[in-house]
Amino acid sequence: MATIPRTDNWFLRRLNVQRRHWKAALLFVLPAFVMLLSITIYPLIRTLTLSFTKLELAVSPRETFVGLDNFVRVLTGDARFWNAMGNTAFLVVVGVALQVVLGMVLALLASEMRRGRTVWVTLFLIPIMIAPVVSGFQFRVIFNDTFGPLNYIIRQLSAGLISPPAWTATSGTALLTILITDLWQWTPFMMLLILAGLESQSQEIIEAARVDGASYWQTLWRVRIPLLLPVLIIGVLIRVMDTFKTFDLVVLLTAGGPGSSSETIAYYTYLNGFKFFSMGYTAAMAFIQLIVIIVVSRVFLSIQKRQRGAD
Amino acid sequence: MTHRNRPWVRLVVGIILAAALVFFLFPVVWMFLTTFKTQDQIFTTPPVLVPPAEQWNLNNYIAALTQSGGLQALRDSLIVSGSTALISVVVGSLAAYSLARYRTGGDQFAFWILSTRMFPPVASAIPLFLIFRDLKLLDTHWALIIANSIFTLPFAIWLLKGFIEDLPPELEESALIDGASAFQAFWHVTRPLIGPGVVTATLFTFVFTWNEFMFALLLTKNRVRPLTVMISSLAGGHEILWAQIAASGVIAIIPGVLLVVFLQRYIVRGLTMGALKY
């Protein structure tokens, strides 16, 4: 039977012969290329050149070259920078881990329920697409110490024995309110991702494990979760990247306070650039973040590669 | 799980899921109920859960739109999000076609496009602020359209690339043999077939831009003031009009909720930029 080979190579060879399609290929990609070049590469270079200069916009528009001074000052002389990095790391590690665990539990429960699936999955998904500004506002009301519903419920349940704190204005809990709001918003994403992953798993492999006498938990740990790894890696990578940028929730919930106890790195960078107007210093700080992001994503991609190789 | 269909298992599972659903919906419901409260009812103890029936009117919505600059904010958000979505999807679909069908630039180029998504926005905000200041673009719709494209354009390219790769190339191939130009093949054959992809990409880029806050805060002042900036500035004011902000919040979540309701099938695919195609 004469089957047409459907590999890309075959297709490419066919098209490459016709020169005019090469022109089309480049022409099609040109607008996007020019746009991305001017909105990502040029700003990137500008950030880099800026990071070697001193530019205090509040004082004067003059840029003076200072070499690596900004980088040295950020990394060695700025305790607030490391505090913000620590807070961000807390949100990234603890927050995303909780989202994965809770998302996994909810997805496993949801996979047992089939009736009315579309309707309640839709309801679960609503938080995902809400602007973080709006979810920040919602939780600011909920966490309010005098009229918020949370503290009212705590006081009622404990019959007035516990006097709950002003969650967003206490240094021990301010960062936690950001974590919980993020958890609220993104656990449904993990749940949906894992649910979709679970349902695409071959029932035959799971049945085979059953027939061999594996219990529910053994099947889960030995078969289903390992099969989920590719999905989990992508989900965690996306959440880690986005949590690293946490900014909106900080503005709406705590404004970084009290003190700098809930400052994230994106928020502290914003303060330096747009409140103190130290542009050179901020550029150096932004560049360090970029390096962190590149390193983290490389690690994830290599894990993914190794995982793929193992299959 | 066929063998675990015992009724009590289903009951327990149902109860836990229902409790989780209450947790995930409570903030939205509370915000919605707040829009019908008077300023006094917000501060009372015990809190007013459901406001009295005669207060179920649109007064706070009208106040949010007319007194707090909501109408202008709504207009700005619509202009910025609509234009960003349009530009990203038009420019993005052409690039996606080229990447998917001709492998233009190879994997390296495709990954470069993807990596721009990881760029921390605060790192782009500083140079963009300086560039826009020199070009006199600060506080214009264009500033936000350009800044948001940093994320939405790569997003649209990757998502649409996946949709195009799902189609068999023979379709365009036969059009090309029949004498169609590459653009005609794209326009008459591929474009109609990636309709779901185009809708998904458009709605997602629209909602991302609609929800975006950092660029909107840093690159505008008072001539342009999208909804997210308006909500945050109202919530940071001295006298906080909770019911009006809640009403603005309800208006602000409409596009996102519509996306969830109508595009449920493509949510995973959209949120992972096509990495997972469930």
Side-chain angles (χ1 to χ4, degrees), chain B residues 38-62:
Chain B
T38 62
Q39 185 78 349
D40 291 342
Q41 282 167 343
I42 285 162
F43 302 112
T44 48
T45 317
V48 179
L49 179 64
V50 182
E54 67 269 18
Q55 280 173 228
W56 284 68
N57 53 46
L58 294 176
N59 289 353
N60 283 318
Y61 290 87
I62 294 164

Side-chain angles (χ1 to χ4, degrees), chain A residues 266-304:
Chain A
Y267 187 79
Y268 183 53
T269 313
Y270 149 81
L271 282 186
N272 275 290
F274 295 90
K275 291 286 173 201
F276 314 148
F277 292 106
S278 313
M279 289 303 188
Y281 191 68
T282 312
M285 202 178 282
F287 217 80
I288 293 168
Q289 284 165 65
L290 192 62
I291 293 167
V292 172
I293 284 203
I294 290 170
V295 169
V296 171
S297 66
R298 288 275 150 179
V299 169
F300 269 94
L301 290 177
S302 73
I303 293 173
Q304 197 188 20

Side-chain angles (χ1 to χ4, degrees), chain A residues 6 8 14-15 21 25 28 39 42 44 47 112 118 122 129 131 140 147 152 184 196 224 248 270 282 290, chain B residues 1 23-24 42-43 46-47 97-98 102-103 119-120 126-127 131 146 170 173 176 204 211 213 218 235 264:
Chain A
R6 281 176 62 168
D8 284 316
R14 284 297 299 270
L15 288 178
H21 292 301
F28 277 16
I39 61 182
Y42 178 69
L44 182 71
T47 308
E112 306 275 326
T118 331
T122 305
M129 283 296 162
R140 194 168 146 169
F147 61 83
Y152 175 75
W184 173 82
R224 304 187 80 191
D248 311 13
Y270 149 81
T282 312
L290 192 62
Chain B
M1 296 292 111
F23 170 73
F24 287 110
I42 285 162
F43 302 112
Y97 184 76
S98 185
Y102 307 121
R103 299 258 152 150
F119 218 73
I126 301 144
I131 296 164
I146 295 168
E170 283 82 4
E173 184 64 6
L176 292 171
F204 265 98
N211 288 351
F213 176 59
L218 302 182
Q264 214 210 85

